[in-house]
Amino acid sequence: MLWHGGLSGSAPLKVAEEGHFLADTIGVIPVSQTLFGPLNLAVTLSLLVVIPLALWRLMPRDESKMVAYPAVQLDDEPEPEERDARAGLLRVLEETRALNVACASVLGVYLVWFFGERGASGWNLDTINLTFLALGLGMHRSPRSYVAAVADGAKGCAGILLQFPFYFGILGLLKSSGLIAQIAEAFVAVSGPTSFPVLTFLSAGVVNFLVPSGGGQWAVQGPVMMKAVGALGVDPTRAIMAMSYGDAWTNMLQPFWALPLLGIMGLKARDIIGYTAFVLAVTGPVIMFWLVVL
């Protein structure tokens, strides 16, 4: 529920990049106005309070009604193989922590300098990827350990990797047919400056069923929304965040995003969909309240 209004949100990060595809229309909008703006802080903090409280209220008070799932046994990370005296320098390098520490330190120093120069405006998809790379290297005991962890993690998200080529095929069909633009324009046609953010939120929720990709949805729906922003005189940051919230909101009814987590926990989608649907019902009014008030 927090992802598209969080530090990895596709739309807010894209509009913060120099020369993004809507720069001629809305200019460059730094994350200080979107992710760290009053609207997003209010929405995020509200969801961080409301969602845990709602799920806690669902918890059975009678322990006999609770269902315990089998604990998932995770294998311990294997110890490095004994070094072969004839393996030479390469084997030593791939099993030593020093190389990880050196690479992570260089990346860390660069990131500190970069954000010192740019501030919050330097936060984009590239710096997020670089930050995770530095953290991953720094937290593993050797290059070999890090490579093994990446390979194991890729297995957990195999379902996501398989689905997204099909999603983008669907996206191409919907874009070329004009259906997504028609859905968005239908909402815009009946909205005014006050109701536009709420209707943008709802339309994004509908479009998300067709294109469950935040970046892909912004690429298709963004131009329509920004055109309406100019016509209605609405702050573009409100429309950007409204679309972001709508994209995350209806993910609660199609938990493809949870496939890696479900695999790790030994659960199936049907085990959580009742809870995620409840979260959708509880959080929708909260988000729309802030879109109107702020």
Side-chain angles (χ1 to χ4, degrees):
M1 279 300 303
L2 299 178
W3 93 265
H4 214 148
L7 297 179
S8 61
S10 298
L13 291 179
K14 180 54 65 176
V15 299
E17 293 180 0
E18 295 286 346
H20 66 88
F21 70 94
L22 289 175
D24 293 339
T25 304
I26 59 174
V28 175
I29 301 177
V31 293
S32 59
Q33 297 180 29
T34 52
L35 299 181
F36 297 104
L39 171 63
N40 193 51
L41 293 178
V43 170
T44 299
L45 291 174
S46 296
L47 296 182
L48 285 172
V49 172
V50 168
I51 294 174
L53 285 177
L55 294 178
W56 170 78
R57 187 64 186 86
L58 285 181
M59 184 179 69
R61 298 303 186 261
D62 183 353
E63 291 190 7
S64 66
K65 295 181 180 180
M66 296 183 184
V67 177
Y69 285 91
V72 178
Q73 299 297 324
L74 299 177
D75 294 331
D76 292 331
E77 186 180 7
E79 293 293 325
E81 296 177 3
E82 293 293 329
R83 287 194 179 91
D84 188 333
R86 296 168 297 177
L89 180 61
L90 291 180
R91 175 59 66 87
V92 173
L93 289 176
E94 73 176 7
E95 294 183 356
T96 180
R97 188 178 183 85
L99 190 58
N100 280 37
V101 172
C103 292
S105 299
V106 171
L107 294 176
V109 169
Y110 172 76
L111 286 167
V112 170
W113 171 84
F114 183 84
F115 285 115
E117 291 286 318
R118 302 285 186 91
S121 63
W123 192 254
N124 55 46
L125 290 173
D126 292 332
T127 51
I128 284 178
N129 287 335
L130 196 62
T131 300
F132 277 118
L133 177 62
L135 289 173
L137 286 168
M139 295 170 70
H140 279 268
R141 65 188 181 193
S142 68
R144 186 174 186 175
S145 168
Y146 185 49
V147 170
V150 171
D152 186 59
K155 290 190 298 183
C157 64
I160 299 287
L161 298 176
L162 180 62
Q163 290 180 70
F164 264 82
F166 291 95
Y167 287 145
F168 277 93
I170 295 170
L171 171 61
L173 292 173
L174 294 173
K175 182 177 181 180
S176 61
S177 69
L179 180 59
I180 289 182
Q182 291 175 22
I183 294 172
E185 288 170 353
F187 279 90
V188 171
V190 297
S191 64
T194 302
S195 61
F196 177 71
V198 172
L199 292 176
T200 297
F201 166 73
L202 294 173
S203 67
V206 173
V207 171
N208 183 51
F209 283 116
L210 306 174
V211 186
S213 162
Q217 183 171 343
W218 171 247
V220 175
Q221 194 174 1
V224 179
M225 295 295 102
M226 294 305 102
K227 182 179 178 181
V229 160
L232 295 172
V234 177
D235 182 354
T237 60
R238 292 178 66 200
I240 292 167
M241 296 314 301
M243 197 223 76
S244 301
Y245 301 144
D247 168 59
W249 184 50
T250 49
N251 277 346
M252 297 298 98
L253 292 183
Q254 49 167 8
F256 75 94
W257 49 270
L259 290 178
L261 176 63
L262 294 173
I264 293 171
M265 299 303 296
L267 301 174
K268 297 185 182 300
R270 64 172 178 265
D271 296 322
I272 69 167
I273 193 67
Y275 300 100
T276 58
F278 177 71
V279 169
L280 175 136
V282 169
T283 56
V286 175
I287 296 171
M288 288 186 280
F289 169 80
W290 286 117
L291 286 174
V292 173
V293 171
L294 294 180

